[in-house]
Amino acid sequence: MTASYTDVFGNTLPPSEYAYAAFALTADATFSWPYNSSGATNTIAKIMEITPSVGVMMTFPAANQVSTGEDFLIRNVGSQTLTVKGNAGTTIGTIVAGGAQYFYVTDNSTAAGVWGQVTYGAGSSSATAGDLIGYGIKAISSSLNQSHPITTSASDVAVDSTYRAKLVITTGGATTVSMAACVTLGDDFFFMLRNSGTGTV
């Protein structure tokens, strides 16, 4: 994707950015910014349509090479889920087949950066399972599933709203478990308690 443009005064100028590009990714690929890509094969465009093979990951360019607010849109036009990663290799998210996500840099102090993202619907309203998780729920692949995280304590426990759906296991001697007010915890709040210690709870 190399190109140049001639302005009205006859000077050849390098393009500041690419408006659109399509990629068929058959292997993991690291992308570059168009401003310093020197003709690299995988160059970020403002709008990208990507067809990924199974398990393929796309790595974003370094966030500290651009200003905050730098942005682009990715649409997955293939039949496989696309995993996107920051420049340090940390997974930012996934784009399901037919889905589209808008990404923008909110912190460029490191190469990995911090990325904001907005998920667009794919013909109808949709959301990534990971965006919907809460206490007692976890995402497995693209679905929401029940979860009972375990908290073990050898001392007193103060139960607040973050204990929703948790299993609390006491392992000490005589232990006190205190709970926040019902009005604070709200309707249908619950947690589980198991005494595996040597004293009374």
Side-chain angles (χ1 to χ4, degrees):
M1 291 179 56
T2 58
S4 61
Y5 302 94
T6 303
D7 71 7
V8 294
F9 301 106
N11 298 313
T12 300
L13 303 171
S16 60
E17 61 190 28
Y18 295 109
Y20 167 81
F23 300 95
L25 299 184
T26 57
D28 294 352
T30 299
F31 280 66
S32 303
W33 295 111
Y35 322 111
N36 53 9
S37 64
S38 300
T41 303
N42 298 321
T43 305
I44 292 291
K46 282 296 182 183
I47 299 173
M48 291 178 284
E49 290 187 340
I50 297 182
T51 305
S53 296
V54 177
V56 162
M57 290 179 269
M58 172 186 179
T59 300
F60 288 173
N64 59 1
Q65 293 177 352
V66 293
S67 300
T68 54
E70 188 68 35
D71 61 341
F72 51 85
L73 175 72
I74 298 175
R75 182 177 173 220
N76 182 349
V77 295
S79 59
Q80 305 296 328
T81 296
L82 173 67
T83 299
V84 294
K85 293 190 169 191
N87 196 254
T90 303
T91 298
I92 296 172
T94 57
I95 306 174
V96 298
Q101 287 196 23
Y102 170 68
F103 296 92
Y104 54 95
V105 179
T106 60
D107 184 337
N108 65 350
S109 59
T110 64
V114 177
W115 295 84
Q117 53 187 316
V118 177
T119 301
Y120 288 81
S124 60
S125 179
S126 64
T128 302
D131 295 335
L132 302 175
I133 60 174
Y135 298 122
I137 299 291
K138 69 177 181 179
I140 300 176
S141 187
S142 60
S143 65
L144 296 174
N145 297 267
Q146 187 176 13
S147 171
H148 293 301
I150 298 173
T151 296
T152 303
S153 178
S155 57
D156 293 347
V157 178
V159 174
D160 58 23
S161 61
T162 65
Y163 278 73
R164 177 181 289 272
K166 278 189 178 181
L167 169 60
V168 177
I169 300 177
T170 59
T171 58
T175 305
T176 298
V177 175
S178 58
M179 291 173 282
C182 291
V183 67
T184 300
L185 297 176
D187 290 342
D188 71 27
F189 174 88
F190 73 98
F191 76 101
M192 293 159 285
L193 177 63
R194 175 179 174 182
N195 183 358
S196 293
T198 58
T200 300
V201 175

